Amino acid sequence: ETGVTQTPRHLVMGMTNKKSLKCEQHLGHNAMYWYKQSAKKPLELMFVYSLEERVENNSVPSRFSPECPNSSHLFLHLHTLQPEDSALYLCASSQGFTGHEQYFGPGTRLTVT
Amino acid sequence: AQKITQTQPGMFVQEKEAVTLDCTYDTSDPSYGLFWYKQPSSGEMIFLIYQGSYDQQNATEGRYSLNFQKARKSANLVISASQLGDSAMYFCAMSQSGNTPLVFGKGTRLSVIA
């Protein structure tokens, strides 16, 4: 596979469930990102990992827990979510995390019931 | 703080016509980069074009060009010869020097009509 892939593409979960979103990049990049895109809000940056270390956490609630085991993989662990967490979650990667274009995955459409 | 403003929530354009999507930015950093992304209904964000703050010429990529007016702090995207497949959300974004990732605008929804 090439580019940035995300699984699953769609996820419906209850508020008491635990699930994980997976992102994988095949571009040899060293920075990875999680974004949240809600219907009526601009794209929100959630987490940034550079060289597998978290360099930014934009005041994201603790019910979202990222994990970056290596430079190619990024996870977002979800637990006890709220209905307002329903959104499109986009993963991206770049070579360096300033001044470089980011390449995005197709996103995971999450619905919390 | 850096900020990106896209004032057009939605735009319509006739097929084969050109369209300009507005973007203004606010930064005190002399070194920055400006990006445009396209997001079709499928959801993924597609990188279109990049302009560096020190670039002397406007960036062009095929049918996309960036009208960079540094003094006015604007970086409008021009799409020439619009196609039906250009219908999508378009996001302007900026990055600055130092440890700051991209900041995105709210986007403009472009609809190309036959």
Side-chain angles (χ1 to χ4, degrees), chain B residues 33-64:
Chain B
L34 297 157
F35 303 77
W36 276 93
Y37 285 83
K38 172 184 178 182
Q39 187 180 38
S41 56
S42 58
E44 68 180 293
M45 299 274 277
I46 303 167
F47 166 71
L48 295 178
I49 196 167
Y50 167 80
Q51 178 86 42
S53 60
Y54 294 117
D55 293 343
Q56 294 297 313
Q57 294 188 327
N58 287 346
T60 60
E61 287 287 345
R63 294 187 298 111
Y64 304 109

Side-chain angles (χ1 to χ4, degrees), chain A residues 37 45 98-99 101-102 104-105, chain B residues 37 39 44-45 91 95 98 100:
Chain A
Q37 188 177 28
L45 178 64
T98 62
E101 63 266 28
Q102 295 175 14
F104 284 77
Chain B
Y37 285 83
Q39 187 180 38
E44 68 180 293
M45 299 274 277
F91 292 91
S95 74
T100 57

